[in-house]
Amino acid sequence: ALFRALSLQGHEVLYDDRQGLRAGEKFKDADLIGVSTRIVVNEQTPQTGEVEIKRRGEAPAARIRLEGCHDFLAGNACS
C-alpha cells in the first residue's frame, strides 16, 4: 500500500522484495545504485503504524508514521 501511495504521489519507488537476502545486503545494494532515501517496513509496522526512514549519507534513521512518508520525502518536517 505504501509503494502504491508514494508512486501515485509522484515519487520514484524501488520495492526490494528479494527473498533470501538479509536487510543489510539489500541496504548495501540500494546504496550502490544510489537510492537517496530508504524506508523500511517491517513486521512491527502494522501494529505501530511507523516505518524507519533514512536519507542516504545521514544518520541516524528516524521512525515516522506511515502518513508522514510523503511529507518527509517532499522535505517537510514530520514526526
Side-chain angles (χ1 to χ4, degrees):
L2 180 60
F3 173 85
R4 188 172 33 261
L6 292 175
S7 295
L8 289 172
Q9 292 167 342
H11 300 286
E12 184 176 346
V13 182
L14 171 66
Y15 177 40
D16 191 345
D17 62 348
R18 294 178 291 166
Q19 301 296 312
L21 294 177
R22 295 178 308 217
E25 293 173 292
K26 294 179 182 185
F27 299 160
K28 176 187 64 80
D29 289 347
D31 284 342
L32 287 173
I33 63 173
V35 173
S36 61
T37 304
R38 177 179 77 211
I39 300 174
V40 179
V41 177
N42 59 31
E43 55 275 347
Q44 288 87 31
T45 299
Q47 291 84 19
T48 65
E50 294 181 334
V51 295
E52 177 184 296
I53 194 162
K54 181 180 183 306
R55 292 191 201 280
R56 187 170 174 209
E58 292 181 11
R63 298 210 47 90
I64 65 168
R65 303 280 308 156
L66 278 167
E67 305 82 35
C69 289
H70 171 71
D71 287 337
F72 185 95
L73 294 172
N76 302 323
C78 60
S79 57

